[in-house]
Amino acid sequence: MAETTPNHTQTVSGWAAFDASGEIKPFTFKRRENGADDVTVEIMYCGMCHSDLHTAKNEWGNSIYPLVPGHEITGIITKVGSNVTEFKVGDRAGIGFMSASYLECELCESHQENYCEQLQPTSNGVFWDGSITYGGYSKMIVADKRFVVRIPENLPLDSAAPLLCAGITVFSPMKDSNMLQSPGKKLGVVGLGGLGHVAVKFAKAFGLHVTVISTSPSKEKEAKERLGADSFVVSTNVKQMKMARKSLDFIIDTVSAKHSLGGLLELLTVNGTLVIVGAPDEPFELPSFPLIFGKRALKGTVIGGMKETQEMMDLCGKHNITCDVEVIKSDDINGAMSRLANNDVRYRFVIDIAERSSSL
């Protein structure tokens, strides 16, 4: 593993964490030349995921410093390699969590690269050539064509950026459980944050009955009146939880704080499924009775494969689905990180990397 290789000749400006304080500072580094299978993207926007905060502070114990965060990248292609036919200069492109995988294993060949044991992330990973991967908090990026998606023309690049992580994270389990082809089915969304709000949007676009489950009664108006949720349940309200028992076919749990799954499982019908997409630092509380007496299933998923990510993006274009974002300048990254740590954002920060006035 090396920071760069002799092929890393392009000088790039960006922003990086240099130690576990997590403070983000300007950073100049090298990217590789555009190869035969690569595209070069001028970055316009980069979303801020909660995992950016974790890795910047080395809270997961695997950070490689200096660390350039960012895996919700949108921009414009400025160069394509000789083997690239899927994209051309000027195309609107997106780059998500993945930068490399084995490609020839069973999972990769079945378009499940996100579960490949040799998956490498766009930030804080090790690329095929042994170099460290630097993410989207930077002015440009070179990416293998197999890990790039096309952004529909009608989607703004700022509010489309978080779809590359938050969007695919909730889309994938909904598709996997056939919820997107089951209008009228009843879906529960636990947590109305960066993931939860886009899950509600997907669900309503595909005709599902949506119940938002939250610890915050103050979010009911937002959930129902602005996002279109059909029902709202306060998870700390015993009476409301009891009334909602066995009312949902499927639940997506987006919460990243420790909580018990027992009450959520009780909301499912017989044969219902609870899928976990949040990642608490501490183990869940999981009582067995709600599982075995309801023939209920508990599973987890992480992002989605590249084919599925492009499918999601195309459907977002068709249904005009984007994330609700707060766009910030690069000078505001550290302030946004502090607010992100306190969940003080509605619903996703996006960095204006190019800092140009644009309707892209």
Side-chain angles (χ1 to χ4, degrees), residues 1 23 44 82 87 107 118 127 135 172 180 233 235 238 252 258 262 266 268-269 274 276 313 325 342 346:
M1 179 180 69
E23 182 180 0
M44 298 292 153
S82 58
F87 301 99
L107 290 168
Q118 295 189 33
F127 195 61
S172 182
L180 300 180
V233 173
S235 57
V238 176
I252 296 179
K258 180 183 178 181
E266 294 280 11
L268 290 168
T269 59
L274 169 61
I276 304 297
M313 197 62 74
V325 301
N342 294 316
R346 204 184 81 178

Side-chain angles (χ1 to χ4, degrees), residues 7 13 44 52 54 57 63 186 190 205 209 218 267 280 328 339:
N7 192 43
S13 297
M44 298 292 153
D52 295 350
H54 289 302
K57 292 179 174 289
S63 297
K186 295 184 176 181
V190 185
H209 182 284
S218 61
L267 302 181
I328 64 166
R339 288 179 55 193

